[in-house]
């Protein structure tokens, strides 16, 4: 049994495989457990159930580590809503835009809590971050804090200079690499990741720290090690499976390997974030205020040190990845579809001429906007929305859904649904143009979730990804490294590219 469950742990990934908020919470989609046992026969009007085995339910069918794809396949047989069993838990899986929206928006009041795995409970200090907290007073307060100080439309204006600076840095690194060795394929992810992490540190803490002394480690650690301990290790650990998640009635049996791994990762993360915070608190005590999430949280004086530490960590990890995942997929598709890359370049030329594209130009670049949303549709970074928990009896798509059911919203399945999308497997930005969709329909992909738990960082992600894509295409013609055309495999529960993007860049000769 343990071997089979262990096989649900995603394959080990690279640094950039670490997913941010979405990945973090998506990780819980499979490993959350503990729902009340509800037999199908108890219900008069239950959704179809995918046949499974006694005791383990459907766990053995989820071994190939791409649950979003398995769920989408099952939707072709059982329809857009069906149930599965993961050990003792009853899980409803949703695979169409209509039923997903019904769950996230119309029936939110019955489905507003989260269900966390044992690993995520420890790593988020028992739901002490915005993304995993239950909807309630704490959630409302901290979501307001993060919007007002960092992610809301007006607070984003304060960080405009930082966003411009990191994108400038990416461009100048690309130019240097191409000048140094014009024939070499360059590693896109490495360049983007470093600059995005710089931004996440500045926003969260007020400074891009290149090293920090960590008392518990008895030494200073480098920025690469800070990234490893606060982002990569956490994402890998968040995906760790504790078999007791599926069989909560066996919680009394120790699982020492799992417990040691999770508590060590949590302790190291906390030591590093605390060290970063302490360094900044000295700055704040000297009266050197900066625009940062930490400065804001400290000034509120409403949170404990533990809460501040966990929230600052959340801001660091969330900013550091999903924007990278989306931009990397967009550049991959633009490399593969050269005529679409040219169309985008022409649009930029028409609108901006020789001027460098800026965020202010984004509303006037409809094809760019379509490229971004089509990338989110075809490769939703958070393919499984963080699991919701039905806390009072409700209905979905006309079926009875009893309290105690867990909900998995499969955005990949929704966006691959032939009833919702024409040729869904094709990457076609044009589907969003020519009056076929209103601006609001762009969000039909639901890549940022929907309703009151929708992504807090959507504005930031859109600004960074769209400006970066436009500037990359404005400055260079992009081509894939030979042999990489079909390397579109993914790792983990998010749609991280398994193979980091390697590209040839040809400068377009802009000054
Ligand atoms: C392309 C990039 C991104 C995608 C696709 C994405 C996607 C998502 C999704 C699907 C959710 C869950 C929504 C739900 O449960 O209904 C979420 C939640 C969240 N995201 Fe993002 N995200 C992205 C970038 C970011 C960034 C850059 C940040 C912050 C710097 C961020 C912060 C958050 C937070 C705080 C939540 C929790 C919101 C809540 O529970 O109320 N996200 N995101």
């Amino acid at each position: 049994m343990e071997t089979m469950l262990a096989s649900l742990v995603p394959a080990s990934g690279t640094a950039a495989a670490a997913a941010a908020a979405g990945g973090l919470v998506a990780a819980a989609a499979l490993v959350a457990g503990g729902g009340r046992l509800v037999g199908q026969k108890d219900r008069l009007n239950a959704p179809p159930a995918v046949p499974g085995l006694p005791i383990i339910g459907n766990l053995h069918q989820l071994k190939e580590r791409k649950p979003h794809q398995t769920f989408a396949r099952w939707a072709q047989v059982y329809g857009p809503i069906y149930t599965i069993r993961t050990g003792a838990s009853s899980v409803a899986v949703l695979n169409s835009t209509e039923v997903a929206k019904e769950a996230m928006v119309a029936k939110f009041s019955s489905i507003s809590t989260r269900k966390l795995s044992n690993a995520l409970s420890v790593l988020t200090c028992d739901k002490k971050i915005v993304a995993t907290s239950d909807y309630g007073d704490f959630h409302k307060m901290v979501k307001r804090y993060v919007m007002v100080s960092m992610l809301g439309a007006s607070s984003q204006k304060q960080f405009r200079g930082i966003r411009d600076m990191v994108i400038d840095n990416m461009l100048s690194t690309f130019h240097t690499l191409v000048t140094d060795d014009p024939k070499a394929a360059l590693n896109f992810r490495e360049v983007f990741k470093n600059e995005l992490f710089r931004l996440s540190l500045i926003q969260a803490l007020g400074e891009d720290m290149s090293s920090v002394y960590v008392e518990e480690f008895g030494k200073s650690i480098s920025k690469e090690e800070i990234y490893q301990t606060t982002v990569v290790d956490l994402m890998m650990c968040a995906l760790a499976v504790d078999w007791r998640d599926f069989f909560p009635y066996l919680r009394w049996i120790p699982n020492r390997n799992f417990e040691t791994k999770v508590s060590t990762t949590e302790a190291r993360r906390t030591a590093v974030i605390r060290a970063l915070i302490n360094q900044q608190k000295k700055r704040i005590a000297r009266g050197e205020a900066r625009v940062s999430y930490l400065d804001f949280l400290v000034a509120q004086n409403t949170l404990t040190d533990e809460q501040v530490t966990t929230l600052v960590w959340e801001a660091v990890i969330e900013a550091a990845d999903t924007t990278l995942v989306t931009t990397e997929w967009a550049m991959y598709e633009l490399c593969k579809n050269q005529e679409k890359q040219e169309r985008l370049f022409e649009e930029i030329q028409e609108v901006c001429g020789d001027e460098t594209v800026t965020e202010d130009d984004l509303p006037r670049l409809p094809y760019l906007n379509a490229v971004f949303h089509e990338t989110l549709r075809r490769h939703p970074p958070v393919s499984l929305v963080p699991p919701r928990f039905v806390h009072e009896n409700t209905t979905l798509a006309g079926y009875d859904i009893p309290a105690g059911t867990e909900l998995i919203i499969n955005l990949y399945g929704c966006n691959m649904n032939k009833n919702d999308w024409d040729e869904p497997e094709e990457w076609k930005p044009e589907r969003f143009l020519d009056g076929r969709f209103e601006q609001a329909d762009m969000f039909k992909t639901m890549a940022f979730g929907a309703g009151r738990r929708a992504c807090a960082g959507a504005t930031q992600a859109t600004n960074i990804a769209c400006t970066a894509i436009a500037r990359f295409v404005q400055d260079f013609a992009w081509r894939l490294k030979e042999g990489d055309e079909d390397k579109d495999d993914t790792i983990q529960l998010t749609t991280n590219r398994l193979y980091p993007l390697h590209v040839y860049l040809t400068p377009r000769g802009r000054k």
Side-chain angles (χ1 to χ4, degrees):
M1 170 72 68
E2 197 146 352
T3 320
M4 187 200 73
L5 294 175
S7 68
L8 283 172
V9 182
S12 65
T14 61
L24 222 186
V25 273
L30 273 188
V31 291
R36 187 169 68 82
L37 251 172
V38 184
Q40 295 293 315
K41 61 181 180 307
D42 295 341
R43 294 189 245 149
L44 290 177
N45 186 26
V50 179
L53 296 175
I55 302 176
I56 62 168
N58 302 93
L59 284 173
H60 64 299
Q61 291 152 297
L62 294 165
K63 278 194 300 187
E64 49 39 342
R65 301 170 187 193
K66 299 234 175 11
H68 57 285
Q69 292 178 6
T70 308
F71 293 151
R73 270 199 309 279
W74 284 342
Q76 290 171 8
V77 180
Y78 300 98
I81 170 168
Y82 54 79
T83 57
I84 60 169
R85 297 194 67 79
T86 53
S89 303
S90 172
V91 184
V93 186
L94 314 184
N95 292 276
S96 86
T97 308
E98 203 182 341
V99 66
K101 278 222 171 112
E102 186 184 352
M104 288 192 279
V105 183
K107 303 286 166 61
F108 179 77
S109 59
S110 309
I111 315 175
S112 65
T113 50
R114 298 276 199 215
K115 192 78 200 172
L116 296 194
S117 65
N118 292 338
L120 270 182
S121 296
V122 175
L123 298 178
T124 65
C125 301
D126 196 18
K127 300 190 173 181
K128 291 293 184 310
I129 66 172
V130 182
T132 59
S133 54
D134 288 335
Y135 190 70
D137 289 344
F138 178 77
H139 176 82
K140 285 184 208 158
M141 176 178 74
V142 289
K143 191 155 183 182
R144 187 166 52 79
Y145 285 171
V146 80
M147 297 310 280
V148 169
S149 65
M150 197 171 75
L151 298 176
S154 48
S155 45
Q156 278 285 293
K157 287 189 190 132
Q158 303 174 304
F159 296 106
R160 167 73 183 268
I162 313 291
R163 292 194 296 280
D164 288 348
M165 185 248 302
V166 297
I167 296 177
D168 281 346
N169 290 351
M170 291 175 199
L171 264 301
S172 73
T173 307
F174 288 147
H175 277 290
T176 307
L177 289 170
V178 171
T179 310
D180 288 353
D181 192 350
K183 292 207 163 42
L186 60 86
N187 183 335
F188 170 85
R189 188 182 290 179
E190 209 44 41
V191 177
F192 203 97
K193 182 197 89 180
N194 290 340
E195 291 303 326
L196 201 59
F197 191 51
R198 185 196 307 279
L199 173 128
S200 68
L201 288 178
I202 297 174
Q203 280 193 162
L205 289 141
E207 190 180 337
D208 171 30
M209 280 167 277
S210 55
S211 65
V212 70
Y213 179 79
V214 185
E215 213 172 298
E216 290 83 342
F217 300 176
K219 60 171 188 169
S220 283
I221 61 168
S222 66
K223 193 159 162 191
E224 193 56 41
E225 289 166 304
I226 298 175
Y227 185 76
Q228 183 71 32
T229 357
T230 60
V231 179
V232 182
D233 292 349
L234 267 291
M235 290 314 309
M236 297 316 294
C237 191
L239 294 164
V241 174
D242 180 357
W243 54 264
R244 295 170 303 183
D245 282 322
F246 305 111
F247 306 101
Y249 48 86
L250 297 178
R251 196 164 280 153
W252 53 275
I253 302 177
N255 186 356
R256 297 262 183 262
N257 283 350
F258 169 85
E259 283 157 15
T260 309
K261 180 180 172 174
V262 173
S263 59
T264 309
T265 308
E266 190 278 323
R268 287 175 59 82
R269 179 276 315 266
T270 302
V272 173
I273 294 285
R274 216 184 278 139
L276 292 167
I277 288 178
N278 285 343
Q279 197 164 313
Q280 294 306 314
K281 277 190 172 169
K282 288 184 197 146
R283 162 182 68 73
I284 295 171
R286 288 195 302 268
E288 292 172 32
R290 291 200 186 139
V291 178
S292 86
Y293 191 36
L294 174 67
D295 284 60
F296 178 89
L297 293 179
V298 169
Q300 298 313 298
N301 212 11
T302 49
L303 299 167
T304 63
D305 282 353
E306 187 202 41
Q307 288 169 331
V308 171
T309 307
T310 324
L311 289 170
V312 166
W313 163 70
E314 179 185 26
V316 170
I317 193 169
E318 283 169 355
D321 188 79
T322 41
T323 309
L324 158 67
V325 173
T326 307
T327 314
E328 191 179 39
W329 275 115
M331 298 319 296
Y332 166 78
E333 292 290 3
L334 288 166
C335 285
K336 249 181 90 169
N337 298 277
Q338 287 288 322
E339 71 299 343
K340 298 186 199 296
Q341 190 184 142
E342 274 324 290
R343 179 167 176 183
L344 178 57
F345 178 62
E346 279 163 23
E347 177 180 89
I348 293 166
Q349 289 289 93
E350 256 168 48
V351 174
C352 304
D354 290 335
E355 298 298 316
T356 299
V357 183
T358 71
E359 282 181 15
D360 303 328
D361 299 314
L362 300 183
R364 296 186 293 135
L365 294 164
Y367 193 68
L368 172 66
N369 206 6
V371 163
F372 177 64
H373 285 283
E374 176 64 349
T375 304
L376 287 174
R377 183 196 69 79
R378 183 64 188 80
H379 307 286
V382 184
S383 44
L384 303 175
V385 172
R388 306 286 175 91
F389 188 69
V390 180
H391 53 82
E392 63 183 19
N393 292 347
T394 187
T395 57
L396 284 174
Y399 291 113
D400 294 329
I401 309 290
T405 308
E406 289 168 35
L407 266 198
I408 292 183
I409 299 170
N410 182 16
L411 294 181
Y412 173 85
C414 297
N415 289 328
M416 283 293 134
N417 188 325
K418 290 196 169 65
N419 295 325
D420 289 328
W421 302 95
D422 178 37
E423 295 187 299
E425 60 298 328
E426 296 294 313
W427 185 79
K428 283 196 302 190
E430 291 73 17
R431 71 174 78 242
F432 289 110
L433 295 175
D434 308 329
R436 271 175 283 174
F437 283 88
E438 299 297 324
Q439 181 66 24
D441 285 335
M442 296 283 192
F443 295 96
K444 189 181 164 188
T445 66
M446 298 178 299
F448 293 111
R452 276 177 256 181
R453 294 311 292 259
C455 175
T459 307
Q460 170 167 316
T462 306
N463 280 335
I464 296 176
C466 288
T467 312
I469 295 165
R471 290 198 55 193
F472 294 164
V473 169
Q474 186 178 38
D475 267 29
F476 298 100
W478 290 64
R479 199 161 48 83
L480 282 177
K481 188 177 155 196
E482 301 81 2
D484 280 6
E485 292 76 9
D486 296 319
K487 282 192 174 169
D488 59 358
D489 206 356
T490 58
I491 39 170
Q492 300 188 354
L493 297 178
T494 57
T495 56
N496 280 280
R497 286 177 55 79
L498 175 57
Y499 304 100
L501 181 66
H502 283 84
V503 281
Y504 297 113
L505 303 186
T506 309
R508 295 195 196 261
R510 289 185 72 244
K511 295 276 175 228

